[in-house]
Amino acid sequence: MASLKDKLITSLANKEGTDKKLMERVGKESKGFTDLKRGLIERCGISEEDILLVLAKEYKVPYFDLDRYRISQESRDFLPKDIATKYKILPISRIGDVLTIATSNPLDIIALDDIKITCSFKKIDIVLANETKILKSINTLFSDKDIPAFVEQEETPDMGVQEISHKTDYSLEDILKESKRSPIVRVVDLIIFEGLKRRASDLHIEPTAKDLTVRYRIDGVLHHGLTLPKINQSAILARLKIMAGMNITEFRVPQDGRFKIRFENREIDFRVSALPANFGEKIVLRVLDRQSLSFGLEYLGFSSTPLELFEEALAAPFGIILVTGPTGSGKSTTLYSIISRLNLPEKNIITIEDPVEYQLDGITQIQVNSEIGLTFSTSLRSVLRQSPDVVMVGEIRDSETADIAIKASLTGQFIFSTLHTNNSVGAITRLADMGIEPFLISSSLIATTAQRLVRKLCSNCKEKYSVDPAVLKKMGFPHNGPTDFYRAIGCQGCNKTGYKGRVALMEVLSIDDEIKNMVVKKAAEDDIAAYAMQKRRFRYLKDDGFAKCIDGTTTLEEILRVAG
């Protein structure tokens, strides 16, 4: 009689575009159902739905699409959250002593027995559902459990907002005192501290047609947090706007603000942005926790080769270094790390930022304000009259700023700035597009860099597995070395994501005499990159990421997601 593994592979092999031999190899190498399912999905390109449909037919249990089913709030009382999360099981309904659950692994007998014993059920009925949808539904189902009961009321008054102080520096003690007076304050309190507890870098409060949704950006990826009733939207948003010093009577134009709190004996700054949208203002809180940042290039996780090239560039007496990358790629952290290293008593260091994210002792920091004409270009002109040794320009946005920065770097200043391009070589083309003469670019430019942030694998739960060389080649990773890599599993320590923290990928183009000549001759980007790879130890972001996959720092999926 054929085993379940054989039946599964035989059924799936009939689908168009599948590789039966690869599936059979995956089946032989797998150590259990979970391992088999993961291998079929990751290595063979089989969807989880296809696997579950075969299982549903084999075990005669229904397949459930959770996107089409609304789970009752009563379901959260059937199972403890830790049990549901541990076994990735969603409680659906209960009739007497019979509990119906959704699972993606019908063979997990240990989980079913544990639920029977722990929760005193006589029988467990199962339906099959997608694992990702199960985890999302668990987060949604249990996320509201800590919200005060008043939030569920239909007639909730707009309470306490007028009594809030207009100061912007809040202590935990202040917030706790106010929480005794205003239930709305407790909800805002919960939103903020849940975000801090989950290591979020951004807190998104998003009005929808039916409710107010809170999402947290953790390690660069958004995760669902809380779902709040629509009736409380105005009060919650007003509370946040007052904390940030915004105008609560203005709903038509974007606003920005800041506030501080003290959390676990450290001061945390929040940068707040309010944006008018269809169903109300969307508010995003950027968490600026200086103590959680490790300023210093050695702490950013750069690989040894790009770090060495970058260190060589920093040894130059003057010139310009450009850090490129999209928003959220860690450019500001890299610049702050450079400035912190160069921050010596004998140096006059001035920064021009929009906005000033972190206050640094011993450094003059200027906040750009375009409304009064204080732009990057006008600020830079004035700064150059202050006899600076080092100038950090938050971003080169226009040709005027680029021209001033380039010419300043030729007169003895060390200039650092950021530029929005896809790669390090593209920075040269971008400057040329801004109207900067090639001979000025070649004379002033020391190095250009590009960087991205990828999630680090959780060290407690990552798992080694083998990847077929043919699959690597298809992914764009031609490789003749080891084929053992690591993948994300998920545990309590990483909030079931399989990742914890982030690390930077970097490519550094060090400008030597030959590259200067190529810039003057307007050589193509590919030609400059080809020369740099041969002579200057240059490698692309994707190659740097692949090296981090081999040493177990991150996954192939992360590199493809971030670096393409």
Side-chain angles (χ1 to χ4, degrees):
M1 185 176 178
S3 65
L4 172 65
K5 186 186 293 185
D6 294 334
K7 290 179 181 178
L8 193 59
I9 290 172
T10 300
S11 298
L12 294 172
N14 293 328
K15 291 185 66 64
E16 186 178 350
T18 56
D19 186 339
K20 186 175 182 181
K21 289 184 179 179
L22 179 57
M23 284 194 284
E24 288 173 347
R25 185 157 69 248
V26 168
K28 289 178 183 178
E29 294 173 359
S30 61
K31 299 175 183 177
F33 173 74
T34 303
D35 198 32
L36 172 64
K37 186 176 78 168
R38 188 182 296 113
L40 291 173
I41 293 171
E42 294 181 358
R43 297 172 60 185
C44 304
I46 305 295
S47 72
E48 185 175 1
E49 279 71 17
D50 288 338
I51 296 172
L52 293 176
L53 288 171
V54 173
L55 291 176
K57 183 178 179 182
E58 182 66 28
Y59 284 96
K60 296 180 174 58
V61 294
Y63 171 72
F64 227 54
D65 185 353
L66 292 176
D67 286 340
R68 303 187 178 200
Y69 187 84
R70 187 176 181 83
I71 307 297
S72 168
Q73 289 295 306
E74 296 176 0
S75 298
R76 63 185 178 188
D77 298 323
F78 303 155
L79 274 184
K81 183 180 179 180
D82 58 341
I83 294 288
T85 305
K86 178 180 179 181
Y87 294 119
K88 300 176 184 176
I89 283 174
L90 179 70
I92 300 290
S93 65
R94 173 182 180 174
I95 302 176
D97 292 331
V98 180
L99 175 69
T100 301
I101 61 168
T103 178
S104 63
N105 183 3
L107 305 180
D108 194 349
I109 306 301
I110 295 174
L112 302 181
D113 287 343
D114 194 4
I115 292 170
K116 280 184 183 179
I117 295 167
T118 305
C119 305
S120 304
F121 288 106
K122 287 185 178 178
K123 185 181 177 186
I124 305 291
D125 285 341
I126 66 171
V127 297
L128 296 177
N130 178 285
E131 183 179 310
T132 302
K133 293 180 182 179
I134 288 174
L135 292 173
K136 181 181 177 182
S137 297
I138 289 172
N139 283 335
T140 303
L141 183 64
F142 289 98
S143 64
D144 297 340
K145 207 165 185 179
D146 299 324
I147 297 177
F150 84 93
V151 184
E152 300 297 338
Q153 297 173 5
E154 293 183 5
E155 298 293 335
T156 303
D158 191 348
M159 300 175 63
V161 176
Q162 290 81 4
E163 300 174 12
I164 298 173
S165 166
H166 283 263
K167 67 178 182 176
T168 58
D169 189 355
Y170 288 85
S171 70
L172 182 55
E173 289 76 19
D174 292 335
I175 292 176
L176 291 176
K177 283 179 186 176
E178 288 184 344
S179 71
K180 296 175 183 177
R181 297 198 301 270
S182 171
I184 289 294
V185 174
R186 290 202 297 273
V187 175
V188 174
D189 206 24
L190 177 64
I191 292 170
I192 292 172
F193 289 112
E194 181 68 16
L196 295 176
K197 188 173 70 176
R198 293 173 66 173
R199 302 181 297 106
S201 61
D202 299 270
L203 287 61
H204 292 240
I205 296 91
E206 304 169 333
T208 67
K210 296 180 180 179
D211 51 41
L212 184 67
T213 301
V214 180
R215 294 194 292 168
Y216 299 113
R217 188 175 295 281
I218 304 167
D219 295 332
V221 178
L222 279 171
H223 298 268
H224 180 80
L226 308 171
T227 302
L228 304 170
K230 189 74 174 176
I231 191 71
N232 300 109
Q233 175 177 310
S234 296
I236 291 170
L237 298 183
R239 161 68 177 167
L240 286 164
K241 289 173 72 174
I242 289 176
M243 289 175 69
M246 296 179 185
N247 182 356
I248 65 169
T249 64
E250 180 58 75
F251 308 101
R252 300 163 299 170
V253 297
Q255 295 188 69
D256 294 303
R258 296 178 86 114
F259 68 89
K260 294 178 183 177
I261 66 166
R262 279 183 286 280
F263 175 73
E264 295 182 350
N265 296 320
R266 68 184 194 270
E267 192 175 77
I268 297 175
D269 195 19
F270 288 84
R271 194 174 78 217
V272 186
S273 171
L275 182 71
N278 254 3
F279 303 110
E281 288 178 288
K282 174 179 177 178
I283 291 183
V284 175
L285 284 70
R286 165 64 60 89
V287 182
L288 302 172
D289 183 4
R290 190 172 186 272
Q291 291 186 16
S292 70
L293 285 174
S294 300
F295 289 136
L297 297 172
E298 63 274 19
Y299 301 116
L300 301 181
F302 295 140
S303 301
S304 58
T305 299
L307 183 58
E308 287 171 10
L309 290 170
F310 204 32
E311 298 273 10
E312 289 173 11
L314 290 176
F318 59 86
I320 185 167
I321 293 178
L322 296 176
V323 181
T324 74
T327 301
S329 60
K331 300 189 301 294
S332 295
T333 303
T334 300
L335 289 179
Y336 276 117
S337 297
I338 297 169
I339 294 299
S340 297
R341 169 180 291 195
L342 299 177
N343 188 11
L344 300 171
E346 61 267 24
K347 287 188 181 293
N348 177 19
I349 301 177
I350 304 177
T351 72
I352 307 168
E353 305 173 60
D354 183 21
V356 174
E357 294 191 356
Y358 300 97
Q359 279 78 38
L360 302 177
D361 295 335
I363 292 174
T364 303
Q365 295 176 272
I366 299 171
Q367 167 77 55
V368 168
N369 187 346
S370 56
E371 291 182 5
I372 60 171
L374 190 64
T375 62
F376 278 113
S377 57
T378 56
S379 300
L380 186 53
R381 274 201 183 91
S382 298
V383 162
L384 294 176
R385 301 189 192 106
Q386 295 282 317
S387 183
D389 297 297
V390 178
V391 180
M392 185 186 97
V393 183
E395 183 183 344
I396 292 179
R397 295 177 179 173
D398 52 54
S399 57
E400 187 179 8
T401 307
D403 185 60
I404 298 168
I406 289 284
K407 289 175 180 175
S409 69
L410 291 172
T411 58
Q413 275 81 37
F414 212 153
I415 310 287
F416 299 93
S417 189
T418 68
L419 202 61
H420 282 286
T421 62
N422 290 328
N423 54 59
S424 56
V425 185
I428 297 171
T429 307
R430 181 81 179 106
L431 289 174
D433 290 342
M434 286 181 168
I436 308 300
E437 293 293 340
F439 75 89
L440 289 176
I441 298 173
S442 67
S443 301
S444 60
L445 208 55
I446 302 168
T448 62
T449 75
Q451 67 181 68
R452 303 288 189 276
L453 294 177
V454 294
R455 293 181 292 173
K456 290 171 62 178
L457 277 165
C458 174
S459 57
N460 293 324
C461 63
K462 67 181 181 181
E463 180 182 86
K464 184 180 283 190
Y465 74 112
S466 296
V467 180
D468 192 298
V471 175
L472 285 176
K473 187 176 181 181
K474 193 174 182 181
M475 287 180 175
F477 297 117
H479 181 57
N480 298 320
T483 56
D484 287 339
F485 296 88
Y486 290 84
R487 58 188 167 202
I489 301 297
C491 65
Q492 290 295 119
C494 60
N495 199 28
K496 299 293 180 181
T497 63
Y499 299 94
K500 192 169 183 179
R502 288 190 288 177
V503 67
L505 308 182
M506 179 177 262
E507 63 178 45
V508 179
L509 179 68
S510 180
I511 310 296
D512 64 5
D513 290 339
E514 180 58 31
I515 293 179
K516 288 175 189 272
N517 291 331
M518 296 175 83
V519 171
V520 171
K521 293 175 182 177
K522 301 181 181 180
E525 289 183 19
D526 289 345
D527 294 337
I528 295 174
Y531 165 79
M533 290 178 75
Q534 183 181 7
K535 300 288 186 179
R536 301 295 297 163
R537 295 175 291 162
F538 172 85
R539 65 182 181 187
Y540 286 110
L541 282 169
K542 193 172 179 180
D543 299 323
D544 187 34
F546 189 57
K548 283 182 165 60
C549 292
I550 293 173
D551 65 19
T553 301
T554 188
T555 62
L556 292 169
E557 292 80 7
E558 267 296 283
I559 302 306
L560 292 174
R561 178 181 72 86
V562 172

